[in-house]
């Protein structure tokens, strides 16, 4: 019985932390954001050297073959450093899609370059996970796609896209396929890239090697756990920053961290966020070890963590006073990262409704 | 209880409506920019002449010279809001500096500044907060050293909203460094063109530079440009801040936003269903409606207290805390109801309402912090409103 | 334009406050509670002398003919003193029923003794206001009632009952009518009396002088406003008690009211509760002056105030520490009064749903 | 990560199950009363003999004498809970006094008390809190004055839960009034039959007397009945409180309550609809389920840290605050879902679950306050967990 991280996992956390501190300092994050770049090539390359791109890709395809808990630790570190890098789609959802639903030849063709970080994959599953807005939806027929997909993750400069259609299937499309129109979507979070894809009779490679419905379920579950972990990382960093700032900033002749109101704000943040860590670990672990529990646990993990995340983002900003509201300190990068995580792939309200449905609590 | 205004006031309302139908087409279409346009200046002049702004400011200072009448002011505001017309120039010079000068300025200062300020000829900015002095404003460090008939000012101000376009500044500086912190401050006014002043835009989390930092390096200001005497700055500043605090947490603004969300939830569709049909969002909407209505009626209660010259006590002290929080929660509901669309910003496709909900969500957080953080507000409510003990003095370490 | 209390209303508040301080001190409240009495005859009589029983009864029937805002001020005072007295049913709902729906002879028969406080009327409208539980419901046919009614207000020792049936009608039944079985219901709040009525072919006098459906609506609206006002009174008393206690109790060498956490708890209570006062005033005023607004305003006033009430009841108890949890201080009488108000005649969730329906926000 | 217990432990689980199927019928049906019945005493003896309670307490003190093994303890708890059997006598003597004595008592004290306490022969109560000393326990005023070989005790204790049925008390008293407050306290044990002790039941807001007040008037106690020496009482008390704090906020208790609410919401009908079909209550239920699950897994994390001998840091400090709050919220949801039925209490008709939801709603508020108020917990989390500064010392007025 061990509910905790292995030595290897702690080392992974450690080396990731050091790496990101070095290659993704705030100034660099700001640079990427100011230039509206899709991601930081430096960070992506550095992560690639640690094997992040292939973390979930089986070893026989050149990956690390690690568990989703390892991926969650990476997501947490990325959130902690507001790292401007692809991850959720390209390193988590796409490998799962190919492993679960790709044919052997599709796996052989795409998994090795994904694992090596040579190609980036965007994923379009928003309509399945969050519901349909603005008449989005992609239909597949005779290997051709039509319609549009919104909120494509890791969209910017993606080489391939994996698209969920309205019928439960999964398809792979080249980033430069004829008939494909790409429209960047600007969100509050300038550290990650979102976009819209419009399809006019676009040629697609359907994933035919497994149960696409199951693969989609597992992609969405995994991505939700990643977004929760990203918020955990961003939130814990905001708490740390608030505690640090409160220990330095003086008002009325004393550091503000000695005022009980400020202390209690910090204590409340920590005591709300810390249990989320345990829930995320469990959810991530279940993806490999107890897959029948994962959908429920992923829904719980993301809804609780992103709700707490909103509270932390706001409260940590308040602890920083006016400085927290400026662009100068850059605290808002974490605030916005948490804001985006909350809404992507299922809002808390929607996830709780799904959780109720899974448990048979909703009358047909 | 009588929610009617009575015949005298309804007659006044008709007058206002008459003005609007006669002159409404002269109102500038775009407003709200820091520097008033010629059109807006002309409009302001017309309004003053008809007693529709600067109404109670004496004629000799360029105002209309009417007796104070809160209900008439309210009727003017109601009618202008209903007609969607700008109710004249709105800036810190008019809302904060003019009342301060009326209360505490010399006759010469009043003659020099009030009319020109009211007529949009002089634009002011406010130099109060400093990077090191937020909640503890009285700890401000900007120094004014004596040099003959002048002060030499060195230091830095922050959160100065119209600094880039302002002509003059009303500014708190430390003139007596040896006195206790509240007693060493003076209130100076000087031109923003004085050599040694640098204005840098201050970008906030919204991505916009709604404020500025202002740096002073050996800025020379005649000693005569002081309001209410040396060491009186803290007293003057508090007179000014009274006017600012009244403006934050306006329940009618929340009412407008509530209406916008009600519309949004009727229009937006998710999976082919209107958002208003989602019981969870609808419940939050109704809950916020309760709070907005309560604060609107609360506003009527405060208005009545003003009319009677009564001190509404704690009822007044809670307005900023409640009002800003409700606004922030309204923005949060709109974002949540919009789901993934709610995170879009800037000039994104699919953006709703020009991204204003996200902007408000962030800017309102700034308002919760600014003008007295929520923590300071709670201290004030507890100490002044409930008579609880002040924070005890800390022992010297 | 005047949104506030008149001189007369302030005098009413003042004399009521003094009266209740004298005739309903905590010891007396405790005595009534310990003996499980339906109400305090002393308090009831003293209130009667002030005209409380007839506050809403027209002057031609021997009452005071005052507005619902006056009644709300009384309810507030009763909550403030956790007064063990009939009020909501006997002094508010029953007079409204008779005025709105009683025939001239019914009015002449019942309003004067009600106004004089000589008889007490219980009211059974729970099923209409809160929904049906445990198969409750009363049917009327040929002047006879059958079925059962739960959560009858001002139940104990009532001389007459006014009953809402499942068809929208109102009926008057004598407290000792043959076939009527009375069962007391014990709630957390020992200062007010609730009961169940079971009907077996009970003879009833149907109210025939007006629109019963409208009368029921106005009875429920008025009662909801009273319950909100009662919570306002109880809540403001709990805040005052918390502030007082925090000013006396010392821990760590200083009064606890000088700790910022305690101060902020008190500030939060006050700033949440104070706007409720304005909302209640408006709702009560609308009952007389703008009846088309009342149902919505009553729903808002009760849902908001009783939600805030729960927060205040809990927080004020916490400020009192262990002492707040004991029976000794009696703080729990207010806690429980607020608890009962919250659930009676429509919970906050239900009221908000009704408010949404009234505004056409719920699809048919 | 490995949530399995492994073969060794699964074998142990089988042993426990074997015991339960062989001996389960000997377990007393009713338990939880302050004074153990003969049946419960016999059951306790059987459990100790089989190493199912008092497992790690040395044989010479009447325990089973096994090596500490957190997982085995957990397995025992799991199986007994599953079977609905009492896991032996549960009282403050066993949970708090015995571990304290093992850690800090003399050999003679251990010999005298531990076995008899474990076997239900001696029942203890705890004399810590006083009316004037709640959060600030160290300010306690109960005096123990020297008189030859004895102390004479005068003062009052409160929140003493089993005082009425207890044989002995472990009690904090002030033996050195001149020393700083933390250094003047001693930990005494004495018989509740000593002359001068009066026990008065303390009724709480629930209407029940779950606690007592204990009054001491010239109570004579031999000086030898001290644990760990004079002036060491604060140190001893903290050793004891460690054991108490671990018991508050148990996530498995919350899990049991959650299941009860899930059942309740499936069974209860309002207007002919199940409560589980009300989207608002269902959402609150699911939200609380998230929090309960998080705290259950959090418990596994703390268990793992214990197994490894690691300090879980802040993760441990938050348990009481979170756990008690979640329990309180669960009770609030049940009450709300029950509507008007939710306010019924005592022996009312239509009452559900014997009124336990209202009882819990109130009692849990007591737990939020007791054993370190939520405010004290937040101070601890901030100062010890996050390393924030302590409240500064107040200047003498």
């Amino acid at each position: 019985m061990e509910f905790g991280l292995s030595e290897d996992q702690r080392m992974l956390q450690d080396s990731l932390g050091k790496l990101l501190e070095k290659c993704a300092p705030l100034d660099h994050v700001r640079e990427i954001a100011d230039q509206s770049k899709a991601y930081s090539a430096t960070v992506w390359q550095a992560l690639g050297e640690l094997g992040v791109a292939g973390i979930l890709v089986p070893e026989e395809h050149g990956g690390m073959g690690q568990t989703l808990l390892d991926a969650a630790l990476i997501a947490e570190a990325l959130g902690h450093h507001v790292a401007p890098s692809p991850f959720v789609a390209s390193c988590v959802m796409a490998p799962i899609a190919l492993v679960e639903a790709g044919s052997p030849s599709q796996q052989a063709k795409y998994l090795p370059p994904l694992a090596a970080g040579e190609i980036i994959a965007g994923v379009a599953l928003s309509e399945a996970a969050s519901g349909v807005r603005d008449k989005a939806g992609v239909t597949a027929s005779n290997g051709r796609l039509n319609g549009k997909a919104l909120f494509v993750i890791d969209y910017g400069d993606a080489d391939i896209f994996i698209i969920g259609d309205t019928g439960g299937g999964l398809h792979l499309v080249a980033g430069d396929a004829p008939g494909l129109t790409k429209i960047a979507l600007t969100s509050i979070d300038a550290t990650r890239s979102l976009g819209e894809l419009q399809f006019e009779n676009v040629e697609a490679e359907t994933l035919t090697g497994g149960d696409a419905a199951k693969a989609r379920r597992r992609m969405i579950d995994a991505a939700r756990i990643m977004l929760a972990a990203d918020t955990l990382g961003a939130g814990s960093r905001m708490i740390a920053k608030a505690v640090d700032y409160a220990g330095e900033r003086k008002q009325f002749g004393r550091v503000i961290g000695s005022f009980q109101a400020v202390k209690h704000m910090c204590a409340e943040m920590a005591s709300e966020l810390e249990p989320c860590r345990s829930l995320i670990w469990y959810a991530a672990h279940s993806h490999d070890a107890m897959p029948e529990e994962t959908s429920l646990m992923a829904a719980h993990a993301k809804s609780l963590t992103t709700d707490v995340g909103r509270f932390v983002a706001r409260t940590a900003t308040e602890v920083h006073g006016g400085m927290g509201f400026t662009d100068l300190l850059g605290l808002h990068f974490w605030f916005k990262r948490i804001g985006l995580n909350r809404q992507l792939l299922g809002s808390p309200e929607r996830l709780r409704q799904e959780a109720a449905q899974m448990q048979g609590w909703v009358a047909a | 209880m009588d929610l009617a205004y009575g015949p005298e006031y309804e007659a006044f309302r008709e007058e206002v409506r008459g003005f609007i139908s006669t002159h409404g087409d002269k109102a500038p279409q775009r407003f709200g920019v820091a520097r008033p346009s010629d059109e807006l200046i002309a409009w302001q002049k017309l309004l003053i002449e008809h007693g529709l702004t600067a109404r109670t400011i004496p004629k000799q200072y360029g105002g209309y010279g009417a007796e104070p009448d809160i209900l008439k002011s309210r009727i003017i505001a109601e009618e202008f809001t209903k007609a969607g017309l700008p109710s004249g120039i709105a800036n810190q010079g008019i809302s904060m500096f003019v009342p301060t000068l009326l209360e505490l300025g010399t006759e010469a200062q009043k003659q020099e500044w009030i009319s020109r300020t009211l007529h949009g000829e002089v634009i002011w900015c406010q130099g109060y907060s400093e990077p090191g002095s937020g909640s503890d404003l009285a700890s401000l460090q900007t120094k004014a050293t004596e040099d003959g008939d002048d002060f030499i000012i060195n230091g830095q101000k922050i959160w100065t909203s119209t600094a880039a376009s302002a002509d003059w500044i009303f500014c708190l500086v430390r003139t007596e460094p040896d006195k206790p912190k509240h007693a060493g401050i003076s209130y100076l006014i000087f031109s923003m063109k004085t050599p040694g002043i640098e204005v840098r835009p201050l970008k906030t989390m919204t991505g916009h530079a709604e404020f500025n930092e202002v740096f002073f390096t050996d800025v020379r200001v005649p000693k005569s440009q002081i309001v209410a005497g040396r060491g009186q700055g803290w007293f003057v500043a508090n007179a000014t801040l009274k006017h600012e605090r009244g403006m934050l947490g306006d329940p009618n603004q929340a009412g407008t936003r509530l209406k916008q969300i009600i519309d949004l939830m009727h229009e937006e569709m998710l999976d082919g269903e209107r958002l208003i049909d989602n019981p969870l969002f609808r419940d939050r909407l109704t809950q916020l409606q309760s709070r907005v209505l309560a604060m609107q009626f609360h506003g009527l209660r405060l208005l009545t207290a003003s009319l009677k010259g009564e001190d509404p006590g704690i009822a007044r002290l809670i307005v900023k805390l409640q009002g800003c929080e409700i606004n922030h929660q309204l923005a949060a509901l709109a974002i949540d109801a919009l789901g993934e669309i709610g995170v879009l910003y800037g000039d994104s496709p699919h953006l709703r309402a020009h991204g204003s909900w996200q902007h408000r969500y962030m800017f309102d957080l700034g308002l919760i912090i600014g003008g007295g953080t929520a923590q300071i507000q709670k201290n004030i409510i507890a100490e002044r409103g409930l008579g609880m003990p002040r924070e005890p003095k800390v022992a010297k370490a």
Side-chain angles (χ1 to χ4, degrees), chain A residues 240-250 254-259 262-263 266 319-320:
Chain A
K241 280 175 174 286
V243 168
D244 286 350
Y245 186 81
E248 287 162 15
R249 169 85 172 172
K250 280 191 176 180
R254 45 196 271 211
V255 291
I256 63 169
S258 72
F259 284 102
V262 174
K263 284 206 287 203
C266 293
V319 169
H320 280 80

Side-chain angles (χ1 to χ4, degrees), chain B residues 87-140:
Chain B
S87 53
I89 302 176
N91 63 31
Q92 292 184 320
I94 293 174
S95 65
M96 297 172 70
F97 179 64
V98 166
T100 304
L101 217 52
L102 276 172
E103 197 178 330
L104 300 163
T106 62
E107 185 55 34
Q109 285 169 334
K110 292 179 195 173
Q111 293 285 355
E112 186 171 3
W113 297 116
I114 296 181
S115 181
R116 290 165 61 204
T117 302
L118 291 180
H119 287 84
E121 293 161 26
V122 190
I123 305 299
W124 294 83
C125 62
Q126 170 188 293
Y128 281 15
S129 293
E130 299 181 4
S133 308
S135 295
D136 184 11
L137 179 60
S139 69
L140 59 91

Side-chain angles (χ1 to χ4, degrees), chain B residues 257-274:
Chain B
R257 292 193 188 181
L258 180 74
K259 279 199 200 106
Q260 291 166 346
I261 299 185
I262 294 170
D263 290 346
L264 179 148
M265 285 181 55
H266 278 83
E267 289 156 14
E268 285 292 326
M269 309 287 279
L270 174 61
D271 287 334
E273 277 195 7
R274 301 181 310 166

Side-chain angles (χ1 to χ4, degrees), chain B residues 51-68:
Chain B
L52 296 168
T53 195
R55 183 174 167 81
T56 61
I57 292 170
K59 273 215 152 81
Q60 76 255 43
Y61 306 134
Y64 180 73
E67 284 301 300

Side-chain angles (χ1 to χ4, degrees), chain A residues 271-293:
Chain A
S271 78
E272 293 291 323
L273 190 61
E274 205 49 40
C276 296
R277 185 185 307 276
S278 311
L279 182 52
I280 290 167
W281 284 1
Y282 189 95
H285 177 60
S286 79
H287 200 264
D288 293 292
M290 302 159 288
E292 69 288 356
E293 292 188 35

